Amino acid sequence: SFELTQPPSVSVSPGQTASITCSGDKLVDKHACWYQQKPGQSPVVVIYKDDKRPSGIPERFSGSRSGNTATLTISGTQAMDEADYYCQAWDSARVFGGGTKLTVL
Amino acid sequence: QVQLVESGGGLVKAGGSLRLSCAASGFTFSNYYMSWMRQAPGKGLEWVSYISASGTTEFYADSVKGRFTISRDNAKNSLYLQMNSLRGEDTAVYYCARDQADMSDPWGQGTLVTVSS
């Protein structure tokens, strides 16, 4: 198996761009997805297969991957985007990053 | 609409057993891999196990291997997690989720398992 590393916290001002990274040695061979979890709620997919956005997810959410690092970008961040974000990659096991708390100040 | 509803959580003593269920509706259950994930209080997400669409392939996290068993009944649109030899570190909210396209979506609302010592 492998590990995914995320920054514990990211802060952003309303209207600005937030970037959350996810790195792992074997990520270059895999796709990453991203989940948003608000307090008391179940996780929701916001990006899958590195850069695909599910229907119903706002266009301000985007994803990219370069080598061993995947990045979730939120453009024009809104207060409602304040949440925990987790990256995940699939191997024979499914591995989650440790999560990043996004604070919109 | 696609819906997953977990049940079976509760308070159990260390060393005890519990069986979780996940009732699926709104999609062809037998076409999808399914997973269990968990989240300890105040902690991050942890994948626990997945099972293939037919039920013939299972995979487990090292932390639960040999103690937990995933299964499914496609005729009843149901997913299960039999948890034996429970430990304090198994205390968590347990979620079931549908697997597709390298993602798990949607997730159920979760069921809380508390293991007391």
Side-chain angles (χ1 to χ4, degrees), chain B residues 1 8 13 23 52-53 61-62 65 68 103:
Chain B
Q1 74 282 18
K13 291 185 178 180
S52 63
D62 289 343
K65 200 174 297 182
F68 290 12
M103 65 175 171

Side-chain angles (χ1 to χ4, degrees), chain A:
Chain A
S1 63
F2 60 100
E3 296 182 355
L4 297 174
T5 301
Q6 300 179 233
S9 62
V10 168
S11 297
V12 64
S13 299
Q16 299 304 302
T17 296
S19 294
I20 301 173
T21 58
C22 172
S23 60
D25 286 347
K26 300 181 182 180
L27 197 53
V28 66
D29 298 322
K30 309 179 191 311
H31 290 300
C33 63
W34 291 90
Y35 300 90
Q36 176 193 67
Q37 186 181 33
K38 296 182 178 179
Q41 298 184 17
S42 302
V44 172
V45 176
V46 293
I47 293 291
Y48 68 102
K49 284 194 172 180
D50 297 330
D51 58 7
K52 305 292 187 290
R53 192 174 54 248
S55 60
I57 300 301
E59 291 184 6
R60 64 181 180 272
F61 288 88
S62 64
S64 62
R65 185 169 61 82
S66 177
N68 288 331
T69 300
T71 301
L72 173 69
T73 301
I74 309 171
S75 304
T77 307
Q78 300 182 10
M80 68 173 66
D81 301 329
E82 188 163 284
D84 294 325
Y85 291 86
Y86 296 89
C87 63
Q88 184 193 35
W90 284 34
D91 193 7
S92 52
R94 279 81 156 113
V95 178
F96 285 98
T100 298
K101 182 175 184 60
L102 177 67
T103 301
V104 182
L105 299 170

